[in-house]
């Protein structure tokens, strides 16, 4: 039995959850999210809670039990409060700027990078080198921030590059020189 799957998902005020034809739809103030689910689980809405139950005792059904419970929880949190990732750009001359639906990044290369901001995400960039990505879909926020970070990963000697706000870069000592 999945430890997480047993826990019910509480639905906050202003959020509606509907289940029909192996599709869960969650609507709230931040938007609407949909998720297909397998026949290994049964999802019911009882009052202000969503309950996920297994249909059989196979290993796959046990895995799906916890998975779909967490996916529904992330959907409920996403449409009610949303998810945020913050990236910090460190380096001389490195900067980010939002131009309409495009994020322009100057990362020390000869050409600038232009990243199209996906539908459903909002991106803000300030002068101190912080880029904030906000959206209702946790997977979409994480994927877009990972793609931006991949453009210039932080290096361990000077710490230049793009890192997450809560990420710690282990710094290395450079060459010591000749005796």
């Amino acid at each position: 039995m999945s430890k997480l799957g047993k826990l019910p998902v509480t639905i906050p005020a202003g959020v509606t959850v509907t289940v029909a034809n192996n599709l869960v739809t969650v609507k709230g103030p931040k938007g609407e999210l949909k998720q297909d689910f397998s026949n290994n689980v049964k999802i019911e809405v009882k009052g202000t809670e969503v309950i996920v139950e297994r249909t059989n005792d196979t290993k796959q059904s046990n895995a799906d039990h916890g998975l779909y419970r967490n996916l529904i929880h992330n959907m409920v949190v996403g449409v009610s409060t949303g998810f945020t990732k913050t990236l910090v750009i460190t380096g001389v001359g490195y900067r980010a700027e939002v131009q309409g639906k495009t994020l322009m990044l100057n990362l020390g290369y000869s050409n600038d990078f232009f990243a199209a901001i996906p539908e459903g995400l909002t991106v803000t960039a300030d002068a101190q080198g912080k880029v904030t990505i906000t959206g209702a879909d946790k997977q979409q926020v994480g994927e877009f921030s990972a793609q931006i970070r991949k453009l210039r990963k932080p290096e361990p000697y000077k710490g230049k590059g793009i890192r997450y706000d809560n990420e710690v870069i282990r710094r290395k000592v450079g060459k010591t020189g000749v005796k």
Side-chain angles (χ1 to χ4, degrees), residues 36-65:
D36 291 332
F37 62 92
S38 72
N39 293 328
N40 291 333
V41 293
K42 183 175 75 172
I43 299 174
E44 296 180 65
V45 180
K46 292 183 180 176
T48 61
E49 291 184 336
V50 178
I51 297 170
V52 181
E53 297 174 342
R54 294 183 291 158
T55 55
N56 53 34
D57 287 334
T58 62
K59 193 173 185 179
Q60 183 62 44
S61 138
N62 193 19
D64 287 348
H65 190 206

Side-chain angles (χ1 to χ4, degrees), residues 20-92:
N21 299 332
N22 284 5
L23 182 73
V24 177
T25 306
V26 181
K27 293 180 186 176
K30 301 264 184 193
E32 176 181 352
L33 296 174
K34 295 181 180 183
Q35 175 68 47
D36 291 332
F37 62 92
S38 72
N39 293 328
N40 291 333
V41 293
K42 183 175 75 172
I43 299 174
E44 296 180 65
V45 180
K46 292 183 180 176
T48 61
E49 291 184 336
V50 178
I51 297 170
V52 181
E53 297 174 342
R54 294 183 291 158
T55 55
N56 53 34
D57 287 334
T58 62
K59 193 173 185 179
Q60 183 62 44
S61 138
N62 193 19
D64 287 348
H65 190 206
L67 169 73
Y68 287 114
R69 186 263 175 210
N70 247 4
L71 288 176
I72 292 169
H73 178 263
N74 287 340
M75 290 166 60
V76 168
V77 170
V79 297
S80 59
T81 58
F83 292 101
T84 302
K85 287 254 186 190
T86 305
L87 298 169
V88 178
I89 300 174
T90 309
V92 177

Side-chain angles (χ1 to χ4, degrees), residues 17 20 35 54 60 66 77 79 82 85 97 99 110 133 146 154 158 162:
V17 179
Q35 175 68 47
R54 294 183 291 158
Q60 183 62 44
V77 170
V79 297
K85 287 254 186 190
E97 184 181 330
Q99 300 172 343
S110 59
I133 302 166
K158 291 185 179 178
I162 302 174

Side-chain angles (χ1 to χ4, degrees), residues 65-163:
H65 190 206
L67 169 73
Y68 287 114
R69 186 263 175 210
N70 247 4
L71 288 176
I72 292 169
H73 178 263
N74 287 340
M75 290 166 60
V76 168
V77 170
V79 297
S80 59
T81 58
F83 292 101
T84 302
K85 287 254 186 190
T86 305
L87 298 169
V88 178
I89 300 174
T90 309
V92 177
Y94 290 14
R95 60 186 165 84
E97 184 181 330
V98 177
Q99 300 172 343
K101 293 296 278 174
T102 307
L103 178 65
M104 192 273 300
L105 297 157
N106 185 343
L107 301 174
Y109 296 114
S110 59
N111 294 326
D112 294 342
F113 288 102
F114 294 95
I117 299 171
E119 203 61 39
L121 293 183
T122 58
V123 178
T124 58
D126 63 0
Q128 285 77 30
K130 282 196 174 192
V131 177
T132 306
I133 302 166
T134 309
D137 189 358
K138 185 175 186 177
Q139 192 271 335
Q140 191 179 26
V141 170
E143 180 67 30
F144 185 66
S145 60
Q147 287 175 357
I148 298 301
R149 182 184 181 274
K150 190 169 69 172
L151 295 175
R152 186 74 165 204
K153 291 185 179 173
E155 56 98 10
Y157 295 101
K158 291 185 179 178
K160 298 187 331 183
I162 302 174
R163 64 178 174 84

